[in-house]
Amino acid sequence: MSSEKKISQASVIRLELYMEYLEQLGREGRKYVTSKEIGESLGIAAVSVRQDLFGLSSAGKPKVGYEIEKLLSLIYEVFDMNKIKKACIVGYGNLGRALAKSQIWERAGYELAAIFDNDPSVVGTGSDGVKVRSVSELFGVINSEEIRMAVIATPAGEAQETARLLVSAGIKGIWNFAPLKLNVPDEIAVENQSLVWGLITLSFAMKDVETN
Amino acid sequence: MSSEKKISQASVIRLELYMEYLEQLGREGRKYVTSKEIGESLGIAAVSVRQDLFGLSSAGKPKVGYEIEKLLSLIYEVFDMNKIKKACIVGYGNLGRALAKSQIWERAGYELAAIFDNDPSVVGTGSDGVKVRSVSELFGVINSEEIRMAVIATPAGEAQETARLLVSAGIKGIWNFAPLKLNVPDEIAVENQSLVWGLITLSFAMKDVETN
């Protein structure tokens, strides 16, 4: 067991909100920020902000506040964004292609190292220098390339079997886009991507707009 | 201006977390839940939970707690999920196709009513009964179908012009997948979808797993 306290989903989301906000302040040329300002801008109680930042072992200075660049580097460390890790995608349908071509990898500290699909008409094609390989090569490539993170972008019916394969090949984290809960060993990290939340957040904002 | 207090991004995220958690409890056959249990399960201070639920004008009963079904219906109301609204997608590339075929619409209270693309080779094709139309039809269709929400799934270089067109056609909310900040009038609700967050959350969970 880690001596680190388990950080809850809500705290992770708060840290991501801080990160985005601090990066924005940084782009505006700001050097310092107070917990009060962070809290008010994001709608989070100042006491929670202070607690979260204290958890990053960062100390604010009276009146001046926190050094933005230092806070950001502590958050990047929490999210393991300082070193580049290798990722692979399984499933080169519409979603897999959209993800392969997106700019998310570099932003989050990843290199897209491999793509797999079981459709022979797709194998051999590719995106930006990453060739699509047959799923039969998955085990060997994940091992030789030392890939530890995989995206499941397969049809829902193939997701569970894909997860089993990935885990047996040594994958430690799965970003799952299939709309089902994967059955994997406890030590495997799984992030189920829910696009529904973005849509619901927008509905809320539109409702607010309409009643203004 | 609305008399309603503006709900912050952090509160919206908390409400979404409550919704997901309450739905899960409902599926397990539970009828009641306390703010303490919600808070502990999600890592949110009980005082914040009580405040959020109070904001929904829901009252818990001493010892028993909140009625799950009632809380859920109040949250669905906040997110405007009780009536079905019409949405359209602009851009029928990989991302647009993946979204068109996904199950998010029904889940979030939407009907996908139209798809637009400016590539003649794509116009006329479609997904599950929704035909892809030329962008030149956008203005007319959005008006006649009374569509108020649009997804921008175009290449980044076309996103701003698409947003301008959509707003002039009467769209009130934009779910933007292009990696740039759109310039639209203040009264238009925009939700910028960031997939990076899912990836970063996974990195955090994997780091936690590795150090255990």
Side-chain angles (χ1 to χ4, degrees), chain B residues 133-172:
Chain B
R133 305 179 202 229
S134 160
V135 173
S136 65
E137 291 182 64
L138 185 146
F139 196 91
V141 173
I142 284 176
N143 271 279
S144 64
E145 296 269 341
E146 298 186 336
I147 297 169
R148 292 294 165 260
M149 195 283 269
V151 182
I152 296 188
T154 66
E158 294 167 29
Q160 179 57 54
E161 172 59 11
T162 301
R164 199 194 57 75
L165 260 176
L166 289 168
V167 170
S168 75
I171 287 293
K172 300 297 178 206

Side-chain angles (χ1 to χ4, degrees), chain A residues 16 110 187 197 201 203 209, chain B residues 16 110 187 197 201 203 209:
Chain A
E16 288 172 336
Y110 283 90
E187 68 270 21
W197 280 26
T201 304
S203 294
V209 164
Chain B
E16 290 172 334
Y110 283 90
E187 68 271 20
W197 279 28
T201 303
S203 294
V209 165

Side-chain angles (χ1 to χ4, degrees), chain B residues 18 20 43 50 52 64 72 76-77 90 95 99 123 125 136 139 143 181 183-184 187 204-205 210:
Chain B
Y18 300 154
E20 203 165 72
R50 274 195 301 273
D52 290 334
V64 188
L72 269 175
Y76 291 150
E77 205 173 291
V90 188
L95 179 64
L99 289 171
V123 172
T125 66
S136 65
F139 196 91
N143 271 279
K181 207 175 165 318
N183 183 11
V184 294
E187 68 271 20
F204 170 75
E210 277 164 20

Side-chain angles (χ1 to χ4, degrees), chain B:
Chain B
M1 285 295 291
S2 159
S3 63
E4 215 176 317
K5 242 179 73 184
K6 178 139 176 64
I7 303 187
S8 71
Q9 191 181 2
S11 324
V12 169
I13 291 173
R14 281 201 301 273
L15 285 178
E16 290 172 334
L17 290 172
Y18 300 154
M19 183 176 92
E20 203 165 72
Y21 178 63
L22 294 170
E23 287 177 336
Q24 186 196 316
L25 292 183
R27 280 192 299 271
E28 290 167 6
R30 290 273 303 273
K31 299 289 178 217
Y32 291 90
V33 66
T34 62
S35 53
K36 184 162 174 279
E37 188 180 357
I38 297 178
E40 282 174 1
S41 302
L42 299 172
I44 299 169
V47 58
S48 296
V49 177
R50 274 195 301 273
Q51 218 164 20
D52 290 334
L53 301 189
F54 184 76
L56 294 171
S57 48
S58 180
K61 292 176 196 164
K63 293 195 183 162
V64 188
Y66 297 87
E67 202 181 327
I68 290 172
E69 203 174 314
K70 184 158 173 237
L71 265 190
L72 269 175
S73 88
L74 290 167
I75 294 177
Y76 291 150
E77 205 173 291
V78 169
F79 289 138
D80 204 21
M81 288 169 70
N82 291 321
K83 62 166 192 270
I84 293 178
K85 296 142 287 178
K86 288 184 177 179
C88 68
I89 294 175
V90 188
Y92 200 59
N94 295 313
L95 179 64
R97 283 163 217 226
L99 289 171
K101 286 170 188 157
S102 76
Q103 293 158 8
I104 57 176
W105 309 102
E106 204 187 327
R107 175 76 179 86
Y110 283 90
E111 175 205 338
L112 178 60
I115 302 170
F116 303 99
D117 199 289
N118 58 11
D119 177 353
S121 73
V122 164
V123 172
T125 66
S127 166
D128 288 334
V130 186
K131 222 176 58 180
V132 181
R133 305 179 202 229
S134 160
V135 173
S136 65
E137 291 182 64
L138 185 146
F139 196 91
V141 173
I142 284 176
N143 271 279
S144 64
E145 296 269 341
E146 298 186 336
I147 297 169
R148 292 294 165 260
M149 195 283 269
V151 182
I152 296 188
T154 66
E158 294 167 29
Q160 179 57 54
E161 172 59 11
T162 301
R164 199 194 57 75
L165 260 176
L166 289 168
V167 170
S168 75
I171 287 293
K172 300 297 178 206
I174 296 176
W175 192 17
N176 174 39
F177 280 80
L180 80 169
K181 207 175 165 318
L182 298 172
N183 183 11
V184 294
D186 284 348
E187 68 271 20
I188 307 296
V190 176
E191 173 70 11
N192 293 303
Q193 180 68 45
S194 169
L195 285 174
V196 167
W197 279 28
L199 196 46
I200 290 174
T201 303
L202 178 61
S203 294
F204 170 75
M206 285 175 71
K207 187 164 157 262
D208 207 42
V209 165
E210 277 164 20
T211 54
N212 271 356

